[in-house]
Amino acid sequence: MNDPHPTVGLDDVVHQRTRLGILALLDSGASMEFGALRDALHLTDGNLNRHLKVLQEAELVATERRGSGRPRTWASITATGRSALAAELAALRALIAAAEQ
Amino acid sequence: MNDPHPTVGLDDVVHQRTRLGILALLDSGASMEFGALRDALHLTDGNLNRHLKVLQEAELVATERRGSGRPRTWASITATGRSALAAELAALRALIAAAEQ
C-alpha cells in the first residue's frame, strides 16, 4: 500500500491561493493591518473581506478593530492557524520532493 | 519595491488541490488510466471527470479512449501542462523558502 498522494490531505480552507497567502503573511510576524494585507496580496477590499471571513469561521485567523476616530481592522493568525499552515507546508514539501524524484 | 508575494502569481486552474494532484501524477510518468488516477487521488468518477475537463479546456491535459470492447480513458500531461506545473512548483518553493526565513 502506497502512502496517499500529498495532495489528498490538503485542506481547501488553507490551500486556496488567497487564504494561503494571508496565512503565510500573518505567520511571518505579528498582526497586519487590513490595507497592508490587501496590498501585499493584490486584493480588493471585498476579496480580502471574504477570505478573512472564511479563515475566521475556521478559527485560523482572528481580527480586531483598533484605534479611535476611524478604527482599522488588524488580522492575526491563531495557534490553530499556525498548525494548519504547518500541515499545508509539509504536504507541499512532500509534493515538491516527489516531483523532484 | 518588494517582489509580489509568491501566492499572487498562482493560477487557480493549476493550484486547486485535485488538479494539482492530477498534474503532479501525470508529470511523473507516461499517461495514466482513468481508474488508476481516480484511486490514487481518492476521487469519485464525477469529481475526476469534472477536473479533467477543466484541465483539458486549459490544454494542460489530453485524454484519449483506448481499447476495443470497453475502451478506457487515458490521460496525459501536455507540454503546456508541464510548464504550468513547473511554474506552480517554483511558486510553492518560494513560499516555503519565505516561511523558513
Side-chain angles (χ1 to χ4, degrees), chain B residues 30-63:
Chain B
S31 59
M32 275 181 84
E33 193 270 320
F34 186 93
L37 203 47
R38 177 197 62 211
D39 295 346
L41 295 172
H42 300 202
L43 300 172
T44 61
D45 284 1
N47 209 348
L48 177 53
N49 261 324
R50 186 164 64 84
H51 288 295
L52 277 180
K53 196 173 166 194
V54 173
L55 290 168
Q56 274 183 280
E57 281 170 1
E59 300 185 356
L60 306 182
V61 162
T63 61

Side-chain angles (χ1 to χ4, degrees), chain B residues 12-85:
Chain B
D12 289 329
V13 172
V14 177
H15 182 70
Q16 193 279 338
R17 180 173 74 82
T18 300
R19 293 192 290 268
L20 183 55
I22 294 169
L23 291 170
L25 279 173
L26 294 179
D27 192 51
S28 66
S31 59
M32 275 181 84
E33 193 270 320
F34 186 93
L37 203 47
R38 177 197 62 211
D39 295 346
L41 295 172
H42 300 202
L43 300 172
T44 61
D45 284 1
N47 209 348
L48 177 53
N49 261 324
R50 186 164 64 84
H51 288 295
L52 277 180
K53 196 173 166 194
V54 173
L55 290 168
Q56 274 183 280
E57 281 170 1
E59 300 185 356
L60 306 182
V61 162
T63 61
E64 60 170 332
R65 304 274 288 168
R66 284 190 218 156
S68 55
R70 281 185 60 186
R72 294 175 173 208
T73 299
W74 290 72
S76 56
I77 192 167
T78 64
T80 308
R82 287 193 201 279
S83 300
L85 179 63

Side-chain angles (χ1 to χ4, degrees), chain A residues 71-88:
Chain A
R72 291 174 175 210
T73 299
W74 290 72
S76 56
I77 192 167
T78 64
T80 307
R82 286 193 202 278
S83 300
L85 179 63
E88 163 84 14

Side-chain angles (χ1 to χ4, degrees), chain A residues 4-5 7-12 15-18 20-21 24-25 27 40-42 88-89 92-93 95-96 99-100, chain B residues 4-5 7-12 15-18 20-21 24-25 40-42 88-89 92-93 95-96 99-100:
Chain A
H5 191 265
T7 58
V8 170
L10 291 176
D11 177 355
D12 289 328
H15 182 70
Q16 194 279 338
R17 181 173 72 84
T18 300
L20 183 56
L25 279 172
D27 191 52
L41 294 173
H42 300 202
E88 163 84 14
L89 294 178
L92 296 181
R93 277 189 203 95
L95 180 77
I96 289 167
E100 285 169 349
Chain B
H5 190 264
T7 59
V8 170
L10 290 177
D11 176 355
D12 289 329
H15 182 70
Q16 193 279 338
R17 180 173 74 82
T18 300
L20 183 55
L25 279 173
L41 295 172
H42 300 202
E88 163 83 15
L89 294 178
L92 296 181
R93 276 189 203 96
L95 181 77
I96 289 167
E100 285 169 349

Side-chain angles (χ1 to χ4, degrees), chain A residues 1-34:
Chain A
M1 196 66 192
N2 290 327
D3 287 335
H5 191 265
T7 58
V8 170
L10 291 176
D11 177 355
D12 289 328
V13 172
V14 177
H15 182 70
Q16 194 279 338
R17 181 173 72 84
T18 300
R19 294 193 289 269
L20 183 56
I22 294 169
L23 290 170
L25 279 172
L26 294 179
D27 191 52
S28 66
S31 58
M32 277 182 81
E33 193 270 319
F34 185 94

